[in-house]
Amino acid sequence: MKNAKILITGASRGIGQAIALKLSQEGFSLVLHARQDESLIETISQLKEGIAYETITADLADPNQVKGFLSALKKAHKDLYGIVSNAGITSDKPIAYQPEKEIDLLLQVNLKVPILLGKYAMKHFMKTKKGFFVNISSVVGEIGNAFQSVYGASKAGITALSKSWAKEIGQLVPDHEVRFLTVSPGFIETDMTDQLTPAIKSLYKKSIPSNRFGHPGEVANLIAFLLSEQSPYINGSEIKINGGIA
Ligand code: NAP
């Protein structure tokens, strides 16, 4: 699969950036997404030299920009092999006080966009009969978390999508090499967890058997393994990477 073209959404920072750097080391060609080209400069500067890459921008909170994003993918990336649907947001609040606007935004970016991206991928993969799609979910989607209920629901939702799509392509295309997966990280050191107060961080750490937050590179290593020739029979699965949280 060396040279295969992979789209990574949210490749400007954190987990998405680490995945981009690792996949560039592995020889994949990349389509890097963020809201603005400028925010991809840091990622691009760290890619393996000589690696092929393109950029694509869209604010996934804006349905019109999502439309444009999907039609740009259709037009310019007919050779796409895989998608890492990673871009995501949090907005932590007690549900009793969470404004409906915030609920809509969480569902738009974390759930509706992966649905539309998967719909696009499914049509594409039904033609190419080869492909890889991974949703980046969260431990919060597995076990829940106070003040993150909508975030958790969106993450549980995308896990169900991957499981269902793996079954769906199996029924629609008898002879294929397409996989839909979920990777479900625990607490990982990124801008997203930097927003937490020291008290909350230390509370979360107490729930982690490995006694630490994970590093973005550890998630990236898992994605590289799932894309490698070592793992063609892992399909539909939700793979947890969370330091032992159960
Ligand atoms: P992060 O550091 O906050 O980075 C988020 C990425 O998503 C950025 O590249 C950002 O692009 C992009 N993004 C955010 N809102 C967007 C929007 N409206 N339109 C387009 N792109 C947008 O987050 P992270 O911690 O790496 O998280 C990555 C994924 O892993 C998320 O889905 C998150 O839910 C999941 N996750 C994270 C953790 C954790 O502990 N960090 C744990 C479990 C799961 P811009 O630069 O354009 O803003």
Side-chain angles (χ1 to χ4, degrees):
M1 276 306 133
K2 301 285 171 197
N3 298 324
K5 192 192 266 190
I6 311 289
L7 164 71
I8 304 160
T9 66
S12 54
R13 297 183 271 126
I15 293 171
Q17 180 182 67
I19 293 169
L21 303 189
K22 177 67 183 174
L23 296 189
S24 84
Q25 290 296 331
E26 298 293 313
F28 288 94
S29 111
L30 301 174
V31 184
L32 305 171
H33 158 270
R35 271 180 280 204
Q36 295 176 327
D37 267 329
E38 303 80 73
S39 49
L40 287 165
I41 289 170
E42 193 191 306
T43 303
I44 290 166
S45 70
Q46 295 176 63
L47 294 176
K48 188 178 175 191
E49 221 180 299
I51 214 76
Y53 72 87
E54 292 152 273
T55 62
I56 186 163
T57 57
D59 183 347
L60 302 177
D62 175 349
N64 282 327
Q65 291 196 35
V66 174
K67 254 187 208 161
F69 172 64
L70 293 169
S71 65
L73 283 181
K74 267 181 226 160
K75 276 188 206 132
H77 300 292
K78 294 203 189 321
D79 54 345
L80 197 67
Y81 171 73
I83 297 177
V84 181
S85 181
N86 163 77
I89 53 170
T90 47
S91 181
D92 301 358
K93 233 164 244 166
I95 190 62
Y97 303 105
Q98 189 141 41
E100 196 171 335
K101 256 191 177 172
E102 277 183 28
I103 295 172
D104 287 343
L105 187 63
L106 277 164
L107 295 178
Q108 163 71 18
V109 176
N110 290 3
L111 184 59
K112 181 134 188 223
V113 167
I115 291 173
L116 295 176
L117 207 47
K119 177 181 154 120
Y120 156 76
M122 184 64 86
K123 273 194 185 160
H124 178 67
F125 295 159
M126 283 167 71
K127 284 184 215 136
T128 59
K129 297 192 179 179
K130 280 182 199 293
F132 176 92
F133 188 105
V134 62
N135 270 314
I136 305 297
S137 181
S138 166
V139 67
V140 176
E142 300 161 31
I143 63 173
N145 200 15
F147 317 127
Q148 287 197 306
S149 59
V150 181
Y151 174 77
S154 70
K155 294 300 185 180
I158 60 175
T159 303
L161 294 175
S162 296
K163 289 179 182 168
S164 302
W165 291 336
K167 291 180 179 171
E168 208 166 298
I169 190 121
Q171 291 193 17
L172 294 174
V173 183
D175 188 14
H176 73 87
E177 290 171 35
V178 178
R179 292 177 299 140
F180 288 96
L181 296 158
T182 307
V183 162
S184 182
F187 298 100
I188 308 294
E189 281 172 352
T190 68
D191 290 351
M192 191 176 270
T193 45
D194 265 1
Q195 299 166 20
L196 301 170
T197 63
I200 297 278
K201 275 190 193 172
S202 110
L203 185 74
Y204 287 168
K205 263 184 203 161
K206 282 186 190 138
S207 71
I208 307 171
S210 292
N211 293 325
R212 65 170 177 87
F213 281 14
H215 308 301
E218 292 174 310
V219 181
N221 289 344
L222 174 58
I223 300 289
F225 169 73
L226 293 171
L227 265 166
S228 76
E229 279 146 21
Q230 311 289 315
S231 63
Y233 204 51
I234 303 180
N235 188 15
S237 310
E238 177 183 16
I239 298 129
K240 302 176 187 186
I241 173 159
N242 62 25
I245 302 172

